[in-house]
Amino acid sequence: MPKHEVDYSLYLVTDSTSAILGDANICEVVEAALKGGVTCVQYRDKTSDTGVLVSTGRKLHQITKKYNIPLLINDRIDVALAIGCEGVHIGQDDLDLPIARKILGEDAIIGVTVSNIAEVESAAKGGADYLGIGTVFATSTKENTKSIIGVEGLQEILLRIAAENWSVKTVCIGGINASNVSRVVWQSSGKGKSLDGVAVVSAIMAARDPETASRELLQLVKSPPAFAKFGVTTGQQTRSPQELLVLVPSIIKAIHSKKPLSHNMTNLVVQNFAANVALSVGASPIMANYGEEARDLAKLGGALVINMGTVTPDGLTNYLKALKAYNDAGQPVVYDPVGAGATAIRRSAVKTILGGGYVDVLKGNQSEVLSCVPGGSNVQQRGVDSGPGNQNLQELGSAIKELARLRRHVVVMTGKTDLVTAGGSVFAVGNGHEYLGMVTGTGCCLGTAISAAVAAHPNDKLAATITAILHYGIAAELAAERPDVKGPGTFVPAFIDELYNVRKATVKGNVEWLKRAKVTVVS
Ligand code: 3NM
């Protein structure tokens, strides 16, 4: 097969260690995987003598040839030459690409391991046929992996390849398995350059039934995850504020009529307040922190709020279970990384959650959202309050736009002016009142209001999110202006009233309140 016709969809990298292969026979496992649909095979054995590598490699090549699938050898050009197979895969510490190309010739397939833009550039310009991009998720299969890049690191590399128009093919590697493969492929696609495939070791080599495991993985590579059915479209990302505002009443009415479940896994401080906010905006709240319950709750058509305000090891395990349950059911998830920048534990929890599943809406204050930027942000947060928020809106707008593009979700950065984007236009919403900042939990409860809106209107999560922000901010303005409100204490019950009143008025067709909306596009 000419090398440009190689299909990288499901790329098997072998492993001969007892931890992975056990007492199975490598040739039998590879043949079973080929029957299951593996499209490319790399023989990777870091410990055997050259004689064993050549004899095993020859046997594997006999098998892969039967299926018309290329066999590549990890690292060892001499072994590839001795076998006469289709090519090699080289790491950053192995023989360099120009020498490999010179020895093997133009027809050979040469792949290179890369984990950052500089390595990508050098491999793409040096004529690599494909890149093995990793390490996506932590894995025990490879010792000394250099850096865990996550889906966002992967996406950064793919965006660069697209921008430079490099024709190199791409697979990702590291911790890819049946539970995450559809999400990784979906999150890494749609911006000019998509992954050509995924590379796995243990998901096939350590499987009890490698043929079935391969068949299932290939199916998952080719099918979008359940939550992708309502991804924010490019057209939706770039509407004018007017186009969004006309949708607000119908979204509020949808919440009212559907009364969606708002499943909150939230902190100790705000549980009661969040439940009341959910009721006022027309949702049905459940405050359920036990992850095992989420699989049943996710079937009820609602949305999940993960609010990291009281993070504990048990809490994290529960969040991940619930996240997976809602992802599998295709129901929306709102993630509030409360205090994300404040402690090392919280920074690591953010990585665990964003690596463990797909969140539809990421909502936080300035430093929380900046802490979710790949590579981290240098903003040091004091406690969990919202900070001064005095940075330039344009600058913050481009940071969250990048974030939304890398993970393919909606990002909300709250502050005096709230910023919202799904990767296209960045919208600024200027409604709200200073009392919101003087009462604990109002930021958290906005997540609850957003969950109600995205659950009721999942096919347009950007408009739903902006609707919730407007409903919330304008209710706060109306409450603060009431003569019975004397300060933050009397504000709280009035705010709950006004959330309710705005909904009731809207349902009756009175949208006078919406004239207060201050929505603009900042970039
Ligand atoms: N290369 P599993 S990670 C062979 O990051 C290899 O370059 C990696 O194994 C890289 O699919 C890795 O079992 C091992 O997680 C991947």
Side-chain angles (χ1 to χ4, degrees):
M1 170 194 309
K3 69 178 186 179
H4 64 269
E5 286 176 15
V6 171
D7 175 359
Y8 291 95
S9 303
L10 183 57
Y11 180 134
L12 172 65
V13 181
T14 70
D15 190 295
S16 307
T17 63
S18 59
I20 301 234
L21 190 59
D23 51 17
N25 175 295
I26 184 170
C27 292
E28 287 171 12
V29 174
V30 168
E31 177 136 27
L34 287 162
K35 282 186 188 148
V38 155
T39 61
C40 185
V41 178
Q42 178 193 136
Y43 173 36
R44 180 174 183 270
D45 180 342
K46 295 287 195 192
T47 51
S48 293
D49 293 338
T50 306
V52 174
L53 293 179
V54 172
S55 67
T56 308
R58 281 208 176 105
K59 284 187 214 153
L60 289 174
H61 198 212
Q62 288 308 315
I63 299 168
T64 57
K65 278 198 292 191
K66 268 198 306 188
Y67 293 83
N68 197 23
I69 294 295
L71 176 71
L72 312 176
I73 307 297
N74 180 273
D75 187 7
R76 296 285 299 269
I77 294 177
D78 55 338
V79 175
L81 281 171
I83 296 167
C85 67
E86 288 70 26
V88 291
H89 180 88
I90 53 184
Q92 290 294 325
D93 302 326
D94 301 332
L95 196 61
D96 76 1
L97 177 57
I99 296 174
R101 179 61 76 201
K102 205 162 166 193
I103 298 173
L104 292 174
E106 280 309 314
D107 292 341
I109 300 168
I110 304 183
V112 178
T113 295
V114 294
S115 61
N116 58 48
I117 300 281
E119 290 169 359
V120 172
E121 178 163 6
S122 141
K125 287 186 176 163
D129 296 294
Y130 76 88
L131 306 177
I133 307 170
T135 306
V136 183
F137 302 120
T139 174
S140 52
T141 304
K142 181 179 180 179
E143 286 173 8
N144 309 324
T145 46
K146 265 199 300 197
S147 48
I148 306 299
I149 62 171
V151 172
E152 52 276 13
L154 176 60
Q155 178 77 317
E156 237 167 357
I157 287 174
L158 293 170
L159 288 171
R160 179 64 186 272
I161 293 172
E164 300 283 351
N165 233 345
W166 289 323
S167 59
V168 67
K169 304 276 186 186
T170 53
V171 296
C172 69
I173 187 160
I176 304 295
N177 56 47
S179 80
N180 56 29
V181 66
S182 297
R183 167 170 69 91
V184 170
V185 171
W186 182 78
Q187 280 190 294
S188 313
S189 65
K191 290 286 185 294
K193 171 76 189 165
S194 301
L195 278 175
D196 294 289
V198 299
V200 302
V201 182
S202 55
I204 293 177
M205 295 306 294
R208 230 177 321 134
D209 178 351
E211 181 178 337
T212 306
S214 304
R215 191 167 292 122
E216 283 172 3
L217 280 165
L218 187 62
Q219 173 67 26
L220 290 165
V221 167
K222 294 185 182 295
S223 41
F227 55 78
K229 62 182 187 250
F230 292 137
V232 181
T233 65
T234 312
Q236 288 176 342
Q237 288 171 20
T238 49
R239 284 166 294 183
S240 67
Q242 291 69 26
E243 286 172 295
L244 285 163
L245 285 174
V246 294
L247 301 171
V248 170
S250 62
I251 295 172
I252 291 185
K253 285 180 194 163
I255 302 170
H256 178 81
S257 62
K258 292 185 182 169
K259 209 169 192 275
L261 186 79
S262 170
H263 174 180
N264 289 251
M265 300 181 98
T266 194
N267 64 74
L268 302 174
V269 186
V270 303
Q271 296 205 1
N272 177 272
F273 191 10
N276 283 331
V277 165
L279 287 168
S280 309
V281 300
S284 169
I286 181 165
M287 318 315 273
N289 288 326
Y290 185 37
E292 298 294 337
E293 267 187 309
R295 209 147 276 283
D296 286 343
L297 293 172
K299 293 181 191 143
L300 303 178
L304 172 71
V305 180
I306 298 177
N307 174 302
M308 213 176 68
T310 313
V311 70
T312 61
D314 275 357
L316 206 48
T317 308
N318 284 316
Y319 299 155
L320 289 173
K321 283 184 184 162
L323 180 57
K324 174 115 187 62
Y326 275 76
N327 279 181
D328 288 350
Q331 291 303 121
V333 179
V334 179
Y335 174 43
D336 190 341
V338 180
T343 65
I345 294 284
R346 284 180 195 238
R347 279 191 287 275
S348 137
V350 168
K351 281 200 184 139
T352 305
I353 291 169
L354 290 173
Y358 176 71
V359 306
D360 300 74
V361 183
L362 172 73
K363 180 211 81 79
N365 64 34
Q366 189 177 304
S367 23
E368 289 160 354
V369 170
L370 289 176
S371 298
C372 297
V373 170
S377 142
N378 296 326
V379 182
Q380 170 62 39
Q381 226 186 324
R382 275 171 287 103
V384 295
D385 59 340
S386 56
N390 53 0
Q391 242 109 338
N392 178 309
L393 287 185
Q394 301 271 334
E395 222 174 276
L396 292 171
S398 26
I400 65 166
K401 188 161 154 169
E402 178 72 3
L403 203 49
R405 275 162 57 90
L406 293 179
R407 296 208 186 89
R408 291 191 81 175
H409 58 193
V410 177
V411 178
V412 179
M413 182 187 270
T414 58
K416 192 164 183 305
T417 301
D418 298 326
L419 296 178
V420 189
T421 184
S425 305
V426 179
F427 300 93
V429 185
N431 294 100
H433 191 273
E434 59 178 356
Y435 285 159
L436 284 172
M438 298 178 193
V439 180
T440 187
T442 51
C444 299
C445 294
L446 174 60
T448 302
I450 293 173
S451 76
V454 292
H457 198 67
N459 56 354
D460 188 352
K461 290 175 198 140
L462 179 63
T465 301
I466 290 177
T467 296
I469 295 171
L470 285 169
H471 183 170
Y472 207 78
I474 294 174
E477 292 171 9
L478 294 167
E481 287 166 16
R482 278 170 39 162
D484 55 323
V485 172
K486 312 280 187 230
T490 41
F491 168 75
V492 175
F495 175 52
I496 301 275
D497 286 351
E498 294 306 323
L499 283 171
Y500 169 83
N501 290 338
V502 163
R503 165 165 65 101
K504 286 290 174 178
T506 309
V507 169
K508 285 193 189 133
N510 175 358
V511 288
E512 195 59 23
W513 63 276
L514 199 51
K515 292 195 178 139
R516 289 171 174 260
K518 293 183 206 152
V519 184
T520 54
V521 172
V522 292
S523 82

